[in-house]
Amino acid sequence: MAHFKIEKSRILNFALPHGYDINKLEIGIPVKKDEASKIGLSEANSVVLPSTTFGKECERNANGYSYTDKTQPKKRRYVSTNWIYPFGNTNASKVAVDIYKKCYPKVIVSPTNIELTLYENESGEKYVIAYLTPEIRQNNLKEVVNLFLEIYEVCYVFKDTIKISNEIKRTRCNWKILPPGEKPSVHLIKKLRKEGSETDNFFVARLEKLEAYKPKQIVEGINGFNGYYAYVFDKYCFLECAFYGNATYILPAENWEILSQKTKQELIEKKEVVEKIIHTEDWFRKISAAFRKYEGR
């Protein structure tokens, strides 16, 4: 089987080897031991977005990243939320106060969302292969290689022997249904207490607010969707992130799982987001209005 092997910590550039066709090559590794189960793959044609826990490459692949552009003038920007007693009255409930300051603008780089799939040929040989779309083939082969190097410390580029059909139905395994009554806010509180962090905060309050509306189903993001929760109601799904991101996304309930695996940019550009509610001081009011508008309650 024609291929070449890469063993580095990461690569800075990807040069197409002589004789390799960019539209035919495949990138991955053969499965000899636990290569597939390591990333959550168990059946042929199953697909995962690699977990952010593997490192920076996987983190950027799943969530994107940002950098400060110091060539531009500073602008007023939200930086955090503090919970305080109003007017120092300790007998009252704490309220959220957003903190703003002058900062250099941030450039947001969208996630590449490279997925890995388990392929099995007619001889029973298995491979963990990157699911290469035409866009990824043209623009992100370096990122694909670096994902494998971060996870496995080795990567193979196969010339054209492995054939992956786009017509095969693939099963994505990036979400799991939580048992009835299990609340993400409780998990988050336990995690924060273990870290010695404040539990009376904006993160917990957002989750508790959505849980109070008694969703039909709560689904937890796994693999590359760590920290995300989908609250599925009769007509719509509210996609909330406990730690990452800065907004709640409202999607149609009937195909929320398919839509939720797209990038935020794709969802907005294709107008598949019903509404986006940014995490600001108006979030609670806007969420209440959204439930009245979309769910009639």
Side-chain angles (χ1 to χ4, degrees):
M1 181 182 296
H3 68 271
F4 73 92
K5 184 178 181 182
I6 302 173
E7 290 184 283
K8 294 183 177 181
S9 57
R10 69 187 303 272
I11 62 170
L12 298 178
N13 296 289
F14 180 82
L16 191 66
H18 178 70
Y20 279 62
D21 185 339
I22 195 171
N23 296 311
K24 293 182 179 179
L25 65 80
E26 302 293 349
I27 300 176
I29 59 167
V31 174
K32 301 296 184 182
K33 295 181 180 178
D34 62 347
E35 291 86 357
S37 60
K38 181 176 182 179
I39 58 172
L41 293 171
S42 58
E43 298 180 357
N45 299 323
S46 56
V47 177
V48 297
L49 189 70
S51 172
T52 56
T53 58
F54 287 114
K56 184 173 70 175
E57 299 293 338
C58 291
E59 167 70 33
R60 290 185 170 188
N61 179 59
N63 297 320
Y65 64 98
S66 64
Y67 62 90
T68 303
D69 185 358
K70 294 187 177 181
T71 66
Q72 301 297 319
K74 289 184 177 181
K75 295 182 179 179
R76 185 172 179 266
R77 189 175 79 222
Y78 166 83
V79 292
S80 64
T81 299
N82 286 347
W83 288 79
I84 63 172
Y85 291 107
F87 307 106
N89 181 7
T90 56
N91 294 318
S93 299
K94 287 184 178 181
V95 296
V97 177
D98 290 340
I99 309 299
Y100 293 82
K101 70 177 183 178
K102 287 273 190 176
C103 304
Y104 288 110
K106 282 188 176 182
V107 177
I108 306 298
V109 180
S110 298
T112 43
N113 280 327
I114 298 160
E115 297 176 310
L116 306 186
T117 182
L118 181 58
Y119 170 76
E120 184 175 357
N121 64 19
E122 295 177 353
S123 302
E125 297 171 321
K126 294 181 180 180
Y127 300 83
V128 174
I129 303 294
Y131 188 50
L132 300 180
T133 64
E135 181 181 357
I136 290 173
R137 287 184 183 276
Q138 292 297 323
N139 303 314
N140 303 113
L141 291 183
K142 179 190 76 172
E143 288 78 7
V144 173
V145 171
N146 282 331
L147 278 181
F148 278 97
L149 293 177
E150 183 169 78
I151 298 169
Y152 297 110
E153 299 181 348
V154 65
C155 179
Y156 293 83
V157 180
F158 301 96
K159 188 172 184 180
D160 58 8
T161 307
I162 298 175
K163 305 294 183 183
I164 298 183
S165 172
N166 290 327
E167 298 177 359
I168 296 176
K169 184 178 180 180
R170 303 188 183 281
T171 303
R172 283 177 167 78
C173 36
N174 288 314
W175 300 92
K176 70 174 181 180
I177 299 172
L178 292 180
E182 191 166 341
K183 296 182 178 181
S185 61
V186 175
H187 289 205
L188 180 57
I189 288 171
K190 289 179 181 177
K191 177 179 173 63
L192 292 171
R193 284 175 177 167
K194 187 175 181 180
E195 295 173 350
S197 302
E198 176 63 53
T199 60
D200 185 13
N201 60 36
F202 194 33
F203 300 129
V204 174
R206 290 201 318 271
L207 299 183
E208 289 177 335
K209 175 71 172 179
L210 293 170
E211 291 160 5
Y213 283 98
K214 301 187 183 325
K216 293 170 60 178
Q217 189 179 77
I218 301 176
V219 186
E220 181 182 14
I222 56 176
N223 298 316
F225 288 82
N226 300 79
Y228 285 85
Y229 295 97
Y231 293 84
V232 185
F233 297 90
D234 292 330
K235 300 176 183 177
Y236 294 92
C237 169
F238 288 64
L239 190 64
E240 183 60 276
C241 185
F243 296 106
Y244 311 109
N246 59 359
T248 306
Y249 293 83
I250 304 175
L251 311 172
E254 64 266 22
N255 58 347
W256 74 268
E257 189 169 357
I258 296 173
L259 295 177
S260 68
Q261 300 195 57
K262 297 183 179 181
T263 66
K264 296 172 186 176
Q265 185 177 352
E266 285 176 324
L267 289 171
I268 292 170
E269 287 178 352
K270 295 180 180 179
K271 299 181 179 179
E272 292 175 309
V273 171
V274 175
E275 188 173 340
K276 172 184 176 182
I277 302 178
I278 298 174
H279 294 164
T280 64
E281 70 273 16
D282 291 331
W283 184 87
F284 292 96
R285 178 182 62 79
K286 290 181 177 179
I287 282 292
S288 297
F291 272 96
R292 289 194 297 271
K293 180 178 180 181
Y294 301 119
E295 295 289 333
R297 53 190 171 118

